[in-house]
Amino acid sequence: MMYYPIDETTARRAHEMMSMRDYTPGSTTAEYRRMVDQAAALVERQKQKVSPFYHDKLAALLDRYARRMAQWTNDHSRNGASCPSILICGGANFPTRKKERQNARDSALWKEYEEIQGILDKIRSIGTGPVDLTDPHAREMLEDRIRRLQERLDRGKKMNAHYRKYKTLRGFPGLSDDEADALDKDIAAGPSWARVPCPDFELASLRNKIKTAQKRLTDLDNLEARQDQPPAEESFPGGRIVQNAEENRLQILFDEIPGEDVRAALKSHGFRWSPKNKAWQRQLTQNAEYDARRILGIA
């Protein structure tokens, strides 16, 4: 993991502008590294939960977080050093307007800070949502997800069978006695309809997730079959609809900018403008085709 440099000189100056206490050398760098270390620990935990195909993306998000937090920390220090507190310099000839600009910049910086912390939410969500079928590793990721879910389902069923037979999880393969005792305690404290290691609703949820992943595999097969054919197009007055299987997108290309009501309808149905493709588009599905035809008034 790479840390990015922190400007300790400016951090010290910013501290002295706001406080009468002595600055602890290296404290700003230490705080920055503490936050990056927490993000790195989160990434490592997430790597244990998801397919290895996501590991590079997790590493890239961690690097982005470390880089942006360093930039933010230095920007925050520069802003803090730009104008002293009235408690430090006194009220005589105090630069009021300069302080107002500093405060406005500080508010903007804290909004940026919240955006940077949003990267942590992205890290937590990696590998938990639908697999993008245009990803070159989509098949491997889907097959890996099905395998992991099936292993969890099989283990849950085996744990239930063991518990029903022995009334305890002690002796179950892979569990220490302490772990088994803790699980036994949790099971006994649960509602009467869920006093098994893996209740029926959890098993049903796993089965549904497996079916969903298997359907995505079927969708991938269909997408790959369409990719061998040229994009299907349909013209309408003022433009055309393109089934772009290569990008897995249904694209609407207008000859002229559509009216505000049409744009609003497209946005409300999940279509987004792509400057790259010069088209309104969303994922290529039957629902997308239905919505596009309805919005455009195509019979």
Side-chain angles (χ1 to χ4, degrees):
M1 182 185 62
M2 177 185 293
Y3 298 114
Y4 289 83
I6 300 299
D7 185 349
E8 280 288 328
T9 301
T10 305
R12 173 189 288 276
R13 190 181 309 127
H15 176 84
E16 292 171 348
M17 287 282 196
M18 301 294 170
S19 175
M20 300 293 290
R21 292 178 297 175
D22 290 339
Y23 177 74
T24 303
S27 58
T28 303
T29 296
E31 175 62 14
Y32 159 72
R33 293 195 172 194
R34 182 189 67 81
M35 296 185 70
V36 174
D37 288 344
Q38 288 182 340
L42 173 63
V43 165
E44 289 305 312
R45 291 195 298 272
Q46 196 68 11
K47 283 182 177 180
Q48 301 302 315
K49 300 177 183 178
V50 302
S51 165
F53 300 107
Y54 293 106
H55 290 189
D56 287 346
K57 190 168 187 178
L58 287 167
L61 285 171
L62 175 59
D63 180 74
R64 184 192 304 174
Y65 180 82
R67 174 174 50 79
R68 291 196 61 187
M69 273 306 305
Q71 181 65 51
W72 182 90
T73 300
N74 291 330
D75 288 346
H76 191 256
S77 294
R78 277 192 292 273
N79 188 57
S82 67
C83 186
S85 166
I86 193 171
L87 298 177
I88 299 297
C89 68
N93 298 320
F94 184 74
T96 303
R97 291 190 176 181
K98 189 173 184 180
K99 192 64 176 179
E100 289 174 351
R101 291 195 296 270
Q102 183 192 50
N103 289 339
R105 173 61 174 152
D106 193 60
S107 296
L109 282 168
W110 282 109
K111 288 181 180 179
E112 182 182 344
Y113 177 87
E114 294 299 325
E115 292 177 4
I116 296 171
Q117 297 311 302
I119 296 175
L120 301 180
D121 293 330
K122 291 183 180 179
I123 289 172
R124 295 185 186 96
S125 67
I126 289 294
T128 61
V131 174
D132 185 351
L133 298 185
T134 61
D135 191 300
H137 300 295
R139 184 172 299 279
E140 293 92 335
M141 287 189 286
L142 284 168
E143 290 174 346
D144 182 76
R145 178 173 294 185
I146 292 170
R147 177 185 60 80
R148 287 171 177 251
L149 289 169
Q150 188 63 53
E151 287 176 354
R152 288 174 57 190
L153 178 62
D154 293 342
R155 180 176 172 81
K157 291 161 66 176
K158 289 176 181 178
M159 290 177 74
N160 285 352
H162 183 97
Y163 188 83
R164 289 191 180 99
K165 182 175 182 180
Y166 300 106
K167 307 304 179 185
T168 178
L169 282 174
R170 280 200 170 211
F172 186 80
L175 285 181
S176 67
D177 286 348
D178 288 342
E179 291 171 331
D181 290 343
L183 288 172
D184 286 347
K185 184 177 179 180
D186 289 341
I187 293 168
S192 59
W193 46 267
R195 287 179 184 166
V196 289
C198 194
D200 288 342
F201 69 89
E202 290 187 12
L203 296 177
S205 175
L206 288 170
R207 292 189 183 99
N208 287 334
K209 289 178 180 178
I210 291 171
K211 289 180 181 178
T212 299
Q214 290 172 336
K215 182 181 182 303
R216 293 288 286 169
L217 265 180
T218 301
D219 292 341
L220 179 60
D221 291 336
N222 295 335
L223 177 63
E224 290 177 345
R226 289 200 300 266
Q227 286 175 342
D228 295 333
Q229 304 172 359
E233 296 188 11
E234 179 180 0
S235 297
F236 63 89
R240 54 198 173 94
I241 300 175
V242 178
Q243 297 179 15
N244 190 333
E246 184 175 354
E247 295 193 17
N248 194 28
R249 293 292 181 268
L250 182 75
Q251 300 172 329
I252 305 175
L253 294 88
F254 292 95
D255 297 335
E256 298 179 355
I257 298 176
E260 185 176 347
D261 55 338
V262 174
R263 297 198 303 273
L266 289 168
K267 291 178 183 178
S268 69
H269 287 81
F271 286 90
R272 295 293 178 265
W273 171 251
S274 169
K276 173 186 173 183
N277 297 318
K278 306 296 183 185
W280 288 87
Q281 61 183 34
R282 64 181 260 196
Q283 187 176 3
L284 180 56
T285 64
Q286 288 184 341
N287 284 339
E289 295 179 40
Y290 172 79
D291 288 341
R293 297 175 69 85
R294 189 156 59 91
I295 292 169
L296 299 171
I298 301 174

